[in-house]
Amino acid sequence: MPEAPALELVCPAGSLPALRAAVDNGADAVYLGLRDGLNARNFPGLNFTLEDVHRGIEYAHGRGVRVFVALNVYPQPSRWPAATAAVDAAAAAGADAVILADPGLLAYAAERHPQLDRHLSVQASASNWRALEFYRQRFGVRRAVLPRVLSLAQVRRIIERVKLEIEVFGFGSLCIMVEGRCALSAHVTGESPNTHGVCSPAHAVRWQELPQGREVRLSGVLIDAFAPGEPAGYPTLCKGRFEVLGTRMHALEEPTSLSVLEVLPQLLAAGVSALKVEGRQRSPAYVAQVTRALRLALDSARRDQARYRAPSASAAALDRLAEGHTHTLGAYSRPWH
Amino acid sequence: MKLAVGPLLYFWPRPQVFAFYRALACQPVDCVYLGEVVCSKRRALHWREWAAIARELTAAGKEVIVSTLALIEAESQLAVLTRIAQGPVTLEANDMAAVQLADGRPFVIGPHLNVYNGRTLRLLADLGARRWVAPLELDSAAVAGVLADRPEPLEAEVFAYGRMPLAFSARCFSARARRRNKDNCGFVCGEDQDGLTLFTRERQPLFALNGIQVQSAGVCNLLGSITALRAAGVQVLRLSPHSEAAVPFSQVIAAFAAAIRGDDAAQCPPHALPGGECCGLAGTAGR
């Protein structure tokens, strides 16, 4: 089983080709979900069969790359047997860790598979050291993924206080709400990350071409309208244009991606253990490019933290792939709040 | 079945807060949740003033519970939580930090802790939980499922009236709507006594912005679902405070109290907020 490096680059895999793309382009670890609706990217045509999990683990381990299985939903009683079976399957397949959010499922995994590392999913909303300590003490969690609501200074202070590996988001779509505590999608579509492993699901999306441009709706609710030629993004609820106080605006957030490229040395200095790339729903080509760009930047930052500047090749590649071709430091930067 | 008044989710002026709780003392509610859930910057009342309100309500025969912040990021917020937890109060835990601090003493599982199955519910009951406020994403059938092998004597409570909490962020949306950020907010959320309604581009009221919290624009009203809720094993109904400008809240309480007694004709007074009424969260804003 491969060892974790000092700062692990953790890349998404929604399919076997995406997993190979991540492994071949410099990921230290990949994370994937099973095709059973029990993870937070429960999209049609996405995710792994058990057979693919075995093949993926064989491919990754053969190249020194670790594999984590995300089971980060909150199973309701009817799904409980499937959820525990998925934990068992991940353990049997030789996964290096399971990524869990549900306290009951964490307890199950700790009891049944004590040797299998448990990572606390971002969906557990653990945003302070006492909450993190709760999960460590109760369930022997080894690593936690922090919600995208913390400033760099807050991340640093948490790492000083906890006896856990800390993983943070490095690149990809930006959840602006505390993960695990957002029901915007549930309110509009009836499906959310907590209940169905989806946000603003594709089946609820309707595009309409009109003389004045394009409209996009989610379960009938108008999320945005675009003038002819105006770039139009996916209608995630928190990136819509709405009216507040008589003004039309991106009232919650603009369409943009999170990127930590420019603060990698600060993250290294803070003692972050792993950098997560969002995007199990993305193509193998996307995964390959993002992985390559971040690998280059991370290696550069580790060689010389003091004189690090984001490699221009990495910056250009990531901006091309970013939502709205623009990026933000999100909550890492205080003025964003 | 008992009636509870949930924590005040908005930032009201001091006199309005005092008047609201003074009036509650003589209204037919069994339980009152006090304290700040949304934003740690809001400090309209000193903690001694909250303690005085708690004493008055207790003297009036109400069960008083102190709700805690849903999003805890800063050391200063943990320090406040620790001080509250050390006092002689029952906590409503809205973050696992509060469960950790309750340290075996009785507490209430707030609606922002994710309890979606019996295993998690039992686990928290073993740690001292004596009441579970169900996440708003669960309807009465799903609540019944989680309660199938309820750890006695744990009570179940559901959010039954008010604009529904949907999400929390690091960002303050009340400030953003006025081109400010959180560190420079000027407490503008105080201008919106029941949240700031967000409309779609075709004027459908969709959400309400309340500081770092996003709520539904529509008001949840489960008055007509009391029979189903009772059958699901729910023993406590939560009414979330709204201003007098939005709805005569004492009449909402009276209507729910009458419905619990079996008065089939009981009805809530109409409210003045954009967004109408709905019967819970799931998919109700879509068509």
Side-chain angles (χ1 to χ4, degrees):
Chain A
M1 201 174 281
E3 288 289 310
L7 197 159
E8 200 173 33
L9 179 59
V10 183
C11 294
S15 66
L16 209 45
L19 177 142
R20 292 198 195 98
V23 170
D24 296 348
N25 284 280
D28 296 307
V30 293
Y31 65 105
L32 54 85
L34 295 169
R35 193 171 281 185
D36 55 10
L38 289 167
N39 69 84
R41 290 288 181 280
N42 177 25
F43 298 171
L46 199 71
N47 295 317
F48 283 64
T49 61
L50 262 186
E51 194 194 331
D52 282 351
V53 172
H54 283 274
R55 288 162 65 190
I57 288 176
E58 194 186 339
Y59 187 85
H61 282 181
R63 287 153 186 81
V65 173
R66 306 205 297 163
V67 176
F68 309 147
V69 175
L71 289 160
N72 50 353
V73 287
Y74 289 96
Q76 292 180 35
S78 65
R79 300 285 281 144
W80 183 258
T84 53
V87 174
D88 298 340
D96 297 282
V98 278
I99 307 172
L100 304 173
D102 185 79
L105 211 51
L106 277 159
Y108 175 87
E111 235 170 70
R112 296 293 180 92
H113 306 286
Q115 80 296 344
L116 176 63
D117 278 1
R118 291 167 294 286
H119 293 184
L120 187 67
S121 168
V122 70
Q123 296 299 126
S125 334
S127 56
N128 60 78
W129 68 265
R130 272 197 195 277
L132 290 162
E133 274 299 286
F134 172 84
Y135 289 99
R136 188 186 67 82
Q137 288 174 16
R138 299 284 163 194
F139 313 116
V141 164
R142 182 190 181 104
R143 174 182 293 187
V145 187
L146 295 183
R148 280 161 277 187
V149 293
L150 299 170
S151 68
L152 258 173
Q154 288 167 338
V155 171
R156 198 179 306 125
R157 275 196 289 275
I158 282 176
I159 292 172
E160 286 165 6
R161 286 303 292 259
V162 295
K163 303 183 193 79
L164 281 167
E165 296 175 5
I166 292 297
E167 180 171 320
V168 300
F169 276 86
F171 185 81
S173 295
L174 176 62
C175 273
I176 61 160
M177 306 297 175
V178 194
E179 297 90 338
R181 291 197 185 136
C182 181
L184 297 187
S185 178
H187 188 43
V188 171
T189 72
E191 298 182 6
S192 76
N194 283 359
T195 59
H196 291 74
V198 292
C199 169
S200 310
H203 69 76
V205 175
R206 292 288 176 274
W207 291 95
Q208 199 175 6
E209 299 292 341
L210 299 165
Q212 66 272 29
R214 309 166 84 181
E215 277 184 2
V216 62
R217 291 172 188 274
L218 199 62
S219 294
V221 176
L222 184 63
I223 304 303
D224 209 344
F226 307 93
E230 192 183 3
Y234 190 85
T236 311
L237 269 162
C238 59
K239 314 279 166 59
R241 256 185 301 198
F242 303 110
E243 285 180 14
V244 184
L245 290 171
T247 305
R248 181 178 302 164
M249 62 188 296
H250 288 108
L252 305 174
E253 176 61 308
E254 288 99 26
T256 180
S257 286
L258 177 75
S259 175
V260 298
L261 206 58
E262 58 197 85
V263 296
L264 280 181
Q266 287 96 310
L267 293 175
L268 279 165
V272 168
S273 298
L275 197 64
K276 187 179 211 96
V277 177
E278 184 277 343
R280 283 188 283 128
Q281 72 284 16
R282 303 288 190 168
S283 69
Y286 173 98
V287 171
Q289 291 175 63
V290 172
T291 303
R292 201 180 313 133
L294 285 171
R295 177 81 275 155
L296 180 72
L298 261 179
D299 290 348
S300 161
R302 280 166 76 176
R303 269 196 306 276
D304 190 347
Q305 285 186 32
R307 273 185 293 181
Y308 169 86
R309 290 193 56 185
S312 52
S314 298
L318 293 181
D319 265 351
R320 258 196 320 276
L321 299 166
E323 194 175 346
H325 302 292
T326 171
H327 67 262
T328 171
L329 275 172
Y332 290 120
S333 157
R334 193 71 202 178
W336 183 91
H337 297 222
Chain B
M1 206 172 226
K2 296 194 275 193
L3 265 188
V5 171
L8 171 61
L9 299 177
Y10 308 108
F11 188 50
W12 289 354
R14 288 164 52 84
Q16 195 176 340
V17 178
F18 287 121
F20 179 80
Y21 288 109
R22 203 173 303 127
L24 272 190
C26 51
Q27 284 168 16
V29 295
D30 306 284
C31 172
V32 180
Y33 292 81
L34 301 177
E36 179 61 43
V37 172
V38 177
C39 180
S40 61
K41 289 181 72 177
R42 295 173 177 174
R43 283 175 200 148
L45 269 60
H46 190 273
W47 66 267
R48 283 194 201 92
E49 294 171 316
W50 280 119
I53 290 174
R55 278 196 301 276
E56 282 169 32
L57 289 168
T58 307
K62 317 295 184 198
E63 180 190 22
V64 173
I65 293 165
V66 178
S67 299
T68 60
L69 273 188
L71 174 57
I72 299 174
E73 304 153 291
E75 207 59 33
S76 56
Q77 295 163 340
L78 272 179
V80 171
L81 178 67
T82 307
R83 202 168 61 228
I84 295 170
Q86 283 165 346
V89 294
T90 302
L91 293 185
E92 177 187 69
N94 283 311
D95 184 273
M96 283 303 186
V99 176
Q100 182 80 342
L101 279 164
D103 197 24
R105 285 179 296 155
F107 69 94
V108 174
I109 303 167
H112 307 300
L113 288 188
N114 285 336
V115 176
Y116 284 92
N117 54 64
R119 175 77 191 246
T120 299
L121 189 59
R122 276 199 306 282
L123 193 153
L124 291 174
D126 289 344
L127 296 177
R130 61 179 178 80
R131 182 183 293 167
W132 170 50
V133 186
L136 277 83
E137 295 196 74
L138 295 182
D139 61 17
S140 59
V143 168
V146 176
L147 289 173
D149 51 351
R150 170 202 313 246
E152 294 292 344
L154 186 108
E155 292 181 312
E157 174 173 331
V158 298
F159 188 100
Y161 186 89
R163 281 184 154 175
M164 297 176 284
L166 299 177
F168 295 89
S169 176
R171 173 174 272 173
C172 176
F173 302 110
S174 301
R176 179 176 170 85
R178 294 163 172 100
R179 315 279 174 196
R180 291 167 174 264
N181 65 26
K182 191 164 69 179
D183 287 343
N184 174 32
C185 71
F187 298 96
V188 287
C189 61
E191 294 171 19
D192 314 314
Q193 301 222 331
D194 299 274
L196 174 61
T197 305
L198 174 153
F199 298 85
T200 69
R201 295 173 64 152
E202 50 193 7
R203 298 293 295 168
Q204 178 188 355
L206 185 58
F207 299 134
L209 307 178
N210 176 38
I212 66 162
Q213 182 183 58
V214 181
Q215 305 179 326
S216 61
V219 170
C220 168
N221 180 359
L222 300 187
L223 187 82
S225 311
I226 289 178
T227 308
L229 291 168
R230 201 178 260 139
V234 172
Q235 298 120 314
V236 188
L237 301 181
R238 170 172 297 198
L239 314 179
S240 189
H242 277 287
S243 74
E244 287 297 312
V247 68
F249 197 67
S250 59
Q251 291 179 36
V252 174
I253 294 172
F256 270 87
I260 287 172
R261 283 195 311 269
D263 178 355
D264 292 338
Q267 273 196 342
C268 284
H271 68 77
L273 297 170
E277 282 195 351
C278 58
C279 294
L281 187 153
T284 46
R287 292 171 225 154

